[in-house]
Amino acid sequence: MIRRRRETAMDLRLYWKKLKTFWKTLSLQRQMMENLIIAKARQDALQRKMEERRLRLQEEANRRFATCGTMTPEEQEQRVLYASVLEYEQDHEWPKIWKAKLKKSPNDPALVSGLIACLLSYPDHPVMKLLKRLQYRSPFKSALTHSLSDASISLSPSRDLNANDTKSEADPDDSSSLLTTDRENSFEDLEKFLTQLDWVPSHSGDDDDTDPDVTFESQIHDLEERALKEHLKAIVKDIHNAIDRLLSLCLLSFECLNTANSKDQCVASMEEVFFTPIWRPLLALFRKVHGEREQAVESSMHLYHHVSPGDVGVASKLFPRDLAVLHGSYPYESAVQELKLLCREYCPQKKLECIVRTLRIICGCAEDYRLLQENDPPPRSAAIGADDLLPILAFVALRSEMPQLVSECAALEEFIHEGYLIGEEGYCLTSLQSALTYVESMLPSGAPPPAPKPT
């Protein structure tokens, strides 16, 4: 009896313990459910506030871009981007701080540079998001696809053969007829494309000595060259549009930058960030288009690399006759070394500055060499004329051994702002292009490229 009572008491305690644990668990679950309900209510309230703020900012953007007629796609994009800028400024304080600083000193270039540097350091800002989107949307691939899709040339029957792979395996005797049909279709596509270009190959039988294979290859080469030029033209246009869109959004974000000097600083900083990751493939396309000119310049550089300045027309008073005074160097070596730095830059503005420094070094060296030889030297401020500068620059280009300068100058001519092309920078760029044209003409007509020198 006593043992049974003890067991009953132990069972009651165990039951009571389990009951308390159950109530604790139930209480915890109830508390968790209450917390979830509260969190859900707060989340809904926050979403309502965010939506109200978004609508309010969108209305402000609509008022900013109010128009009587139909909005263009560019204006619609600007309105959306401006709304995202307003929303960003609601969550971050640094744009307001910089605007207050520039309001006090609107013409301070240091403040403008600081603002642009600060802007470029925030990847979540709408301006930087747009920049990255424009950089990595692959304009090269899209433009190439567009230009080649217009041609619709299919000289290889691989696509149709792959589509009929099962039939070819089942009936091998039909493979030759299938190949013939595909070739006929390919040439029909080619003739159709040539008709669209208003250029149809001649089928006259007068020129019996002409090799049809050579003629066909030359025609294909002309088509490829034309497609490459159209491809490059489309890419250049895309890049100009992208930079204009970036500048517009930057001015929408910070209206204090809407001055001539601030715009120039903004564009220079944006271009440096924009061109850095895309310059190499962009230059590769320029080199593909200007490949023949580069080959001619490279051949001249191989043939005339070790000539003296006098051999390319440099006046005798502008280089030392006795090379011992140069202590193992050669005339204008410092200018050659400066010009070689151009290929290390990836921003058009910095490349142009490198060319300007090169010509300044040339002018300085020419004055020094003239002072060494003339008994009654002219004033130190005297500058060499264009007739003296061109052969010196041609000599520097020969010594640089960089045929890609042809494509570099062509790219700079496309992307440098018009304001720079009418000043000292434009004069320097035009002088270098003239010197490269002179180097290209130095190669005798019909002469084969020189063999590479043994190392």
Side-chain angles (χ1 to χ4, degrees), residues 296-305 398 439-440 442-443:
V297 171
E298 184 179 11
S299 300
S300 296
M301 288 178 175
H302 280 292
L303 284 174
Y304 304 106
H305 175 65
L398 285 172
V439 171
E440 181 183 0
M442 292 173 64
L443 187 67

Side-chain angles (χ1 to χ4, degrees), residues 180-303:
T180 304
T181 304
D182 290 330
R183 285 179 176 174
E184 292 175 356
N185 294 334
S186 300
F187 285 102
E188 288 177 1
D189 293 339
L190 176 60
E191 187 174 0
K192 180 181 178 181
F193 175 60
L194 297 181
T195 304
Q196 294 175 354
L197 295 180
D198 296 330
W199 176 75
V200 182
S202 175
H203 297 285
S204 175
D206 297 337
D207 301 332
D208 295 334
D209 298 335
T210 304
D211 189 352
D213 293 336
V214 175
T215 304
F216 183 74
E217 289 180 0
S218 64
Q219 293 169 357
I220 294 298
H221 176 72
D222 292 341
L223 288 175
E224 290 179 350
E225 185 176 357
R226 184 166 181 172
L228 275 174
K229 289 181 179 179
E230 291 297 326
H231 175 42
L232 179 59
K233 184 178 179 181
I235 287 178
V236 170
K237 183 178 179 181
D238 283 346
I239 291 177
H240 282 302
N241 291 337
I243 294 176
D244 290 341
R245 290 167 62 185
L246 284 171
L247 179 61
S248 297
L249 183 58
C250 192
L251 297 181
L252 284 175
S253 304
F254 301 95
E255 296 181 357
C256 48
L257 297 177
N258 197 10
T259 61
N261 294 332
S262 299
K263 282 182 180 179
D264 291 340
Q265 286 184 267
C266 187
V267 170
S269 300
M270 288 292 178
E271 285 184 348
E272 184 175 0
V273 178
F274 181 83
F275 278 106
T276 298
I278 69 172
W279 185 261
R280 286 185 177 181
L282 182 62
L283 181 63
L285 184 58
F286 271 93
R287 298 193 67 179
K288 184 71 174 177
V289 172
H290 298 88
E292 294 183 359
R293 287 197 61 201
E294 282 197 14
Q295 289 178 2
V297 171
E298 184 179 11
S299 300
S300 296
M301 288 178 175
H302 280 292
L303 284 174

Side-chain angles (χ1 to χ4, degrees), residues 311-332:
D311 295 330
V312 293
V314 179
S316 59
K317 62 181 179 180
L318 298 180
F319 68 95
R321 299 287 184 86
D322 185 10
L323 298 182
V325 299
L326 299 178
H327 306 289
S329 178
Y330 58 86
Y332 300 99

Side-chain angles (χ1 to χ4, degrees), residues 63 85 131 155 164 181 191 193 227 254 264 290 300 337 369 381 394 414 423 439 441:
R63 288 193 299 270
V85 168
L131 187 146
L155 297 179
N164 298 276
T181 304
E191 187 174 0
F193 175 60
F254 301 95
D264 291 340
H290 298 88
S300 296
Q337 298 302 324
Y369 298 152
S381 59
E414 290 287 351
V439 171
S441 66

Side-chain angles (χ1 to χ4, degrees), residues 84-103:
S84 64
V85 168
L86 294 178
E87 187 173 356
Y88 181 88
E89 292 179 354
Q90 293 287 325
D91 300 329
H92 300 80
E93 291 294 328
W94 67 266
K96 302 175 184 177
I97 297 175
W98 278 103
K99 287 181 179 180
K101 291 181 180 179
L102 284 170
K103 190 175 182 180

